[in-house]
Amino acid sequence: MVNTRELIATRCICCDSTHLQRSPAVLMPFVALRVFGHEPVQITEEWGLRDLKQGTAYTLCSSLQCQDCGALFLDYRFTDAQMAALYHNYRDELYNSQRIRFEPGYVNVVAHYHQRAAYLSEVESWLTQYLPANPAVLDWGGDTGINSLFRERNRLQHIFDISGVELVPGAERVDVAALSQQHYDLVMCSQVLEHVSYPQELVAQMLPAVGPQTLLYLEVPHEALVREHPGSLELAPLKRHWHEHVNFYSEAALRQLLARAGLEVVEVLYLPVDVGWTRAEIMGVLARRAAA
């Protein structure tokens, strides 16, 4: 069952529970600008607002944490049009200049996104035991394909992505209609689920490509806040701001998400990574269709 499309979440995005902890937060100015057209404003004496304090006003939101599975997420669930506005021409010159205006340190990050992530060889080594020597791979949300797994030794590399960017050599773009016509050994979705408003829908959209023998690899950041407070259900008051990552997952939350889609977890990988400008950790979940 897929969640209804709530624009302000009242249910968990992973397990559908209504048992949520709520705490106030702010939407970071760059995201607020791209999604809503909001800019921070200075409330001054000239506004003539008798009952409001003067100062900087930002776009308000709430942090929600499910008290059943531990998922932590932004209450705003952006519409398709708002998501398109946020990610339009992702990381092009305009995107980068807008972001740097609000976040000057981002200038040191831009170049790293044009390089293949070094840690992917470790993920490939972890997955090798489950796959043929030259797997057929579908990368869902794979952008250019630069970070597709087994890029150097695959039978085919298909990319499903709405960005329309130019693909790396050897990669081929596919549409939804073609997914069920092809056997894939591996369907991967890496660094996507933390961005989307309706992750249950996204997993459901991938299912036509996941045959009985296909493995599904989902990769998300194992966010520092989640790592530093393992198992805590008191994270909402600690999450005071939201950026492009609108969902923070626990392992339990991902297991719930997959179970509701008829999938079972094969193994989970926790891998510390160096992404060029910072140290982080990824959580990779390998799954397959549950036995009937």
Side-chain angles (χ1 to χ4, degrees), residues 174-271:
V174 292
D175 59 22
V176 171
L179 296 181
S180 61
Q181 307 303 313
Q182 174 68 51
H183 167 73
Y184 296 106
D185 299 300
L186 179 68
V187 175
M188 62 171 290
C189 183
S190 179
Q191 306 292 320
V192 174
L193 283 174
E194 65 272 20
H195 295 266
V196 300
S197 293
Y198 307 103
Q200 193 77 51
E201 280 190 15
L202 183 69
V203 173
Q205 290 166 4
M206 288 187 280
L207 289 181
V210 181
Q213 305 305 316
T214 304
L215 290 170
L216 174 65
Y217 174 72
L218 301 177
E219 181 182 299
V220 297
H222 191 205
E223 304 282 1
L225 183 62
V226 178
R227 296 198 314 269
E228 292 164 3
H229 304 273
S232 174
L233 297 177
E234 299 292 331
L235 298 182
L238 303 178
K239 182 59 177 171
R240 295 299 195 186
H241 73 281
W242 289 95
H243 207 287
E244 289 183 332
H245 291 188
V246 297
N247 308 315
F248 284 21
Y249 296 96
S250 64
E251 180 180 327
L254 278 181
R255 286 180 177 273
Q256 287 284 338
L257 181 72
L258 291 169
R260 294 181 67 226
L263 299 164
E264 62 183 11
V265 173
V266 176
E267 194 172 350
V268 179
L269 171 70
Y270 291 94
L271 181 66

Side-chain angles (χ1 to χ4, degrees), residues 30-92:
F30 169 73
V31 178
L33 174 65
R34 298 277 291 195
V35 172
F36 298 129
H38 291 181
E39 292 261 10
V41 297
Q42 294 295 320
I43 299 176
T44 64
E45 184 178 355
E46 287 72 29
W47 282 51
L49 299 177
R50 182 187 61 198
D51 297 323
L52 294 187
K53 293 182 179 180
Q54 296 176 22
T56 305
Y58 296 95
T59 301
L60 293 176
C61 58
S62 292
S63 298
L64 303 178
Q65 188 180 24
C66 178
Q67 299 300 286
D68 291 326
C69 74
L72 177 67
F73 51 99
L74 171 67
D75 64 339
Y76 286 133
R77 299 287 96 186
F78 301 140
T79 66
D80 291 344
Q82 289 167 343
M83 289 289 286
L86 178 56
Y87 292 106
H88 179 66
N89 292 333
Y90 193 40
R91 298 193 181 118
D92 72 352

